Amino acid sequence: MNAGRDIIEGLRGRLVISCQPVPDGPFDTVASVVAYAHAAEASGAAGLRIEGGANVAAVAQASRLPVIGLVKRDLEDSAVRITPFLSDVVDLCEAGAVIVAVDATDRPRPVPVAALLAEIKRRGRLAMADISTEAEARAALAAGADIVGTTMSGYAGDAPTPKEPDLELVRRCARLGAPVFAEGRYNSPELAAAAIRAGADAVVVGSAITRPEHIGDWFRQAVEGAARATAPVLAFDIGGTKTLAALVQGEAVLERRVVPTPAGVGSGDWIAAVIDLARGWDGRYERAAAAVTGRIDGNVWSALNPGTLAIPQGFSLADALGAALGTPVLAVNDAQAAAWGEYRFGAGKGRDMAFLTVSSGIGGGIVLGGRLLRGARGIAGSLGQVPIDTATGPVRLETLASGFGIAQAAGRRGHAGDARAVFAAAHTGEGWARETLREAAGRLAAAIAGLQAVVDPECIVIGGGVGLAEGFLDLLRDALAVHPEAVVPVLAAAELGADAGIIGVADMATAP
């Protein structure tokens, strides 16, 4: 058993390569498996996982690395495939496997797991239990397994196999105190490293190294997906007052049509009116998307500010548009979509950033590590919804610092008109207008400083009719100057203008 401990220690923190060709493929020969084993050893791998008695025997003779042996069988009366019989264990041990792997899932099987493990141990080999759940890992360890492999996660049930490896299962099994080998869909160096960080003692990688057919298919899908992504996207921008439809290719808006937002959101007539904007574009796009005012929570579209647009309860815009168009539709909050547009093609290109659009309302989005944060409830980045204490109680930031808020503040000072009128008056030197804008900028600056403290992006991009109005960014910078330097962000003016939302959501729709 000391030898067994030495073998496990030699594999700890190391890579094990599974040399298992595609069955009946061009590399499914003993000579090819031995060649794979030599290549794996030359790469610095610490161990090999080999299927079949003949392959195990040949590799054990040709390589100095420890071999995890297994046999795969397709049985008529059981879904168990990995080393299902005692005779398989005997053959693998005699062939030279120092570790024997068995399927230890909780499924109908020809031989109990405990009997297989006992036979492995009786023959002086280490027993590896390939499991799919923590409960199966516990049962296998209690039955005498030396190593737990997460090999079967995603393969032992009726649900579709996930694309990503099960790092959470690795974490849970690592807490059990026995060696854990992460295996199953670790098809990139980054994922293999993540398994070690999750607590795995070793990582087993197969298809990404020894199955050229799979690797070629991954590249084919990526290339063909990228080719499809170059086709124009049908993008909608649905706001409280106007609705835009456009054909978007990359950052270029090829064609556009704008109408007042139809009445009766969610009705058949409303859907027909929106779809009618794309009349004549059939065959020119492969994907469709919509940037919308309000919140997208899962599949449901609802209003953040009910006064902006009356959206029926439980309404799925993506489903309704998708059914009418005959193609899947991606729906995203318009400010979040604009944030992505500015990240991909505009002022925040390639940087961790937050985006704020300050116009009739205040919306926002956050992109960190190349990923748009949408949040558990679909409101990530919605700075305008942050409550602000006032003498009359808490109100939303956008009530105080948006275009509507600026107009209302001017009205309280005895000057009717919209935000444009306030800016015009400020530019002619009217003190009341300047004070109104300074007050709004101060409210917004305090919230922005808080956003910087919480998210700490490289820059905050400011857009919208108010945000980009002449002089407003300077007012924001002046207002931020009173805050500690650590929470004063780098501000940048948005570059994509009103097209940021449709450009952003179109780009998101092209993601694989």
Side-chain angles (χ1 to χ4, degrees), residues 97-285:
V98 297
I99 303 171
V100 175
V102 302
D103 180 319
T105 58
D106 185 16
R107 297 184 291 180
R109 56 193 315 115
V111 178
V113 173
L116 294 169
L117 298 177
E119 183 64 19
I120 296 169
K121 304 301 284 292
R122 191 177 75 79
R123 292 179 173 271
R125 305 302 198 271
L126 293 169
M128 179 172 172
D130 291 343
I131 54 87
S132 66
T133 67
E134 180 185 354
E136 291 168 353
R138 289 181 180 276
L141 292 173
D146 300 292
I147 301 164
V148 167
T150 60
T151 318
M152 297 305 299
S153 174
Y155 299 106
D158 296 327
T161 302
K163 293 182 179 180
E164 298 294 316
D166 194 344
L167 290 169
E168 182 55 33
L169 180 60
V170 172
R171 292 187 187 95
R172 292 198 301 270
C173 289
R175 301 187 189 112
L176 301 180
V180 177
F181 287 9
E183 184 174 4
R185 304 180 298 281
Y186 290 94
N187 51 27
S188 74
E190 292 77 17
L191 289 172
I196 293 295
R197 290 192 291 270
D201 293 276
V203 184
V204 181
V205 178
S207 294
I209 298 175
T210 60
R211 290 192 167 182
E213 299 95 325
H214 291 182
I215 301 167
D217 187 53
W218 297 337
F219 278 91
R220 177 193 61 78
Q221 291 184 46
V223 169
E224 292 177 1
R228 287 194 301 272
T230 62
V233 174
L234 172 61
F236 297 96
D237 187 347
I238 303 173
T241 58
K242 65 177 175 56
T243 293
L244 162 71
L247 287 175
V248 182
Q249 191 170 36
E251 59 183 304
V253 180
L254 305 180
E255 294 187 43
R256 70 177 74 223
R257 296 167 183 164
V258 184
V259 297
T261 295
V265 175
S267 67
D269 288 343
W270 185 86
I271 293 292
V274 172
I275 296 301
D276 191 55
L277 284 170
R279 186 178 62 257
W281 291 345
D282 294 349
R284 295 184 61 187
Y285 61 88

Side-chain angles (χ1 to χ4, degrees), residues 246-342:
L247 287 175
V248 182
Q249 191 170 36
E251 59 183 304
V253 180
L254 305 180
E255 294 187 43
R256 70 177 74 223
R257 296 167 183 164
V258 184
V259 297
T261 295
V265 175
S267 67
D269 288 343
W270 185 86
I271 293 292
V274 172
I275 296 301
D276 191 55
L277 284 170
R279 186 178 62 257
W281 291 345
D282 294 349
R284 295 184 61 187
Y285 61 88
E286 292 190 3
R287 308 186 189 199
V292 298
T293 183
R295 167 181 149 194
I296 298 291
D297 185 5
N299 243 10
V300 176
W301 182 28
S302 60
L304 282 171
N305 184 348
T308 303
L309 203 61
I311 303 168
Q313 186 173 4
F315 177 59
S316 172
L317 175 68
D319 288 348
L321 287 180
L325 289 167
T327 186
V329 174
L330 170 71
V332 181
N333 167 267
D334 53 4
Q336 292 177 339
W340 185 254
E342 290 289 343

Side-chain angles (χ1 to χ4, degrees), residues 41-131:
E41 189 169 358
S43 75
L48 304 167
R49 184 169 164 113
I50 307 293
E51 191 276 330
N55 290 330
V56 169
V59 170
Q61 287 292 319
S63 173
R64 297 171 299 172
L65 299 183
V67 172
I68 302 171
L70 64 145
V71 171
K72 287 184 178 178
R73 299 187 183 278
D74 293 314
L75 305 179
E76 293 183 359
D77 55 353
S78 174
V80 170
R81 297 186 70 225
I82 298 176
T83 319
F85 297 121
L86 291 172
S87 58
D88 296 329
V89 170
V90 174
D91 290 344
L92 291 168
C93 292
E94 292 180 351
V98 297
I99 303 171
V100 175
V102 302
D103 180 319
T105 58
D106 185 16
R107 297 184 291 180
R109 56 193 315 115
V111 178
V113 173
L116 294 169
L117 298 177
E119 183 64 19
I120 296 169
K121 304 301 284 292
R122 191 177 75 79
R123 292 179 173 271
R125 305 302 198 271
L126 293 169
M128 179 172 172
D130 291 343
I131 54 87

Side-chain angles (χ1 to χ4, degrees), residues 462-473:
I462 306 295
V466 172
L468 296 179
E470 185 180 350
F472 192 72
L473 267 179

